[in-house]
Amino acid sequence: MKIGVLGAGQLGRMLAQAGARLGMQFRFLSPPGETCVQGLGELLQGDLLDDALLDRFAADLDAVTIEWENVPTAAIERLARRVPVRPGVASLQCGQDRIHEKQFFRECGLQVQAFAPVDAPRDFEAALQAVPLPAMLKTRRMGYDGKGQAKVLTRASLADAFASLGSVPCILEAFVPFDSEISIVAVRGLDASGREDMRLWSACRNEHREGILDCTVAPASGIPDAAIQRAQAGVRTVLSRLRHEGVLAVEFFLCNGELIANEMAPRVHNSGHWTIEGARTSQFENHLRAVARMPLGDTAATGVSVMRNLIGVVPAPSAALPASVHLHLYGKQPRARRKLGHLTSVAQQESLAMSDADAAFAALHAQPASARG
Ligand code: AMP
């Protein structure tokens, strides 16, 4: 079976690594630039709106999927005339625009923080009426890892914040003084007769630094069961309504007992990387199973996992690692704030998983192979 992947970053790399064990072959299509998929399949690069390139990409593929949600929907629509594309356009459109995402969360019964569109300066006044300060101004599209965001503390600073983000269409949303952040990573697939199967991995507790995921603990500890159950129920609704096929993740804030949906990714997610070693079936394998309409695997956790991202620095490969720790390097050039790899520690107790992850992280950063980018 040959799978086409739109995008060729680290998520594509880990998809192909999981797919090799399912006997799958891969062809990647990405915009020009560095990729993480060397040696893992064919690679085509160019303009994703180039029809001839899309047709060359689609030839002899069994299915197409994405590892990057900002693929132009016109490209998906063209590909979908030739080959099944999973997930489909509905999931992508929802995940590409923060306003649509929040409206959709509400339709799914999830609570969201106060928000308003700021497409142009004429919207400033109405947005400031609707959203209490402090607030976050974010670009509606293309933002990730804290990029395309600015905190707005005073009414007067909204204009500067808008200009600093390039005066593109934005969303103003209330700043949430959260107690914790969690995510739910889930997969939905159809069997041969079209029956739906949905499976969820254990909830993840996430810590971000400067808007970038730093650490995930799963199963999430210290979070009320009722909040996790509400989050899980909401994600099931999201998956069903989108008729999503594949993995999808939703990130939530927990604030004074309230559960607030922040954003979703219609793809495999950084907070699900722990599932490679810490669950019976990883998010990458189950995503491919759903894309290929194969039976889904068991999502049960095998212990407690702690995942730490390796950001900005390529760690020394020779550093001693505890046996519980698994290191993934993506083969990217180092640059400040760039995700270059991650490590996952799995143990039967959170304290052990955490201390092994901390020890490995410290060892890996004691003698970096390359200087801080
Ligand atoms: P996002 O790109 O929306 O996932 O934002 C990245 C991270 O920035 C989040 O995981 C939070 O840690 C922080 N953040 C984003 N939006 C808000 C908000 N409205 N209130 C508080 N923190 C936020």
Side-chain angles (χ1 to χ4, degrees), residues 127-323:
L128 287 166
Q129 296 281 337
V131 179
L133 296 179
M136 298 288 284
L137 186 70
K138 301 180 181 177
T139 58
R140 284 176 69 157
R141 306 176 80 89
M142 301 299 272
Y144 69 99
D145 287 346
K147 289 185 192 159
Q149 304 191 3
K151 201 163 176 183
V152 178
L153 298 173
T154 62
R155 295 176 68 87
S157 63
L158 178 57
D160 283 347
F162 186 67
S164 76
L165 297 180
S167 302
V168 295
C170 285
I171 177 174
L172 187 70
E173 60 180 49
F175 184 83
V176 181
F178 57 79
D179 304 308
S180 46
E181 294 189 77
I182 63 167
S183 59
I184 303 292
V185 184
V187 61
R188 176 179 180 276
L190 299 181
D191 67 15
S193 57
R195 241 193 331 257
E196 165 181 276
D197 187 6
M198 268 194 270
R199 298 180 187 217
L200 283 65
W201 283 269
S202 300
C204 315
R205 181 161 53 77
N206 302 321
E207 279 170 33
H208 291 76
R209 255 200 293 168
E210 298 176 32
I212 307 177
L213 182 63
D214 178 43
C215 179
T216 293
V217 178
S221 55
I223 307 289
D225 284 347
I228 291 178
Q229 281 160 16
R230 261 183 292 140
Q232 289 174 330
V235 171
R236 285 178 183 278
T237 308
V238 166
L239 281 170
S240 277
R241 288 215 182 180
L242 291 173
R243 296 177 197 275
H244 187 85
E245 286 181 81
V247 166
L248 178 146
V250 182
E251 294 181 65
F252 297 89
F253 299 132
L254 268 164
C255 187
N256 286 329
E258 281 186 314
L259 180 78
I260 295 164
N262 179 40
E263 68 169 359
M264 63 166 242
R267 53 161 170 76
V268 287
H269 192 253
N270 194 169
S271 69
H273 288 1
W274 64 271
T275 62
I276 297 174
E277 293 90 8
R280 285 198 212 282
T281 312
S282 77
Q283 62 165 347
F284 298 99
E285 176 169 339
N286 260 348
H287 180 75
L288 292 168
R289 286 179 165 277
V291 167
R293 297 220 171 140
M294 294 163 70
L296 300 180
D298 182 0
T299 51
T302 57
V304 182
S305 295
V306 173
M307 190 282 312
R308 298 280 314 262
N309 269 335
L310 304 172
I311 298 168
V313 177
V314 179
S318 61
L321 294 179

Side-chain angles (χ1 to χ4, degrees), residues 75-86:
I76 302 285
E77 279 156 1
R78 183 172 182 94
L79 289 168
R81 282 184 228 126
R82 298 189 56 164
V83 56
V85 182
R86 301 178 185 131

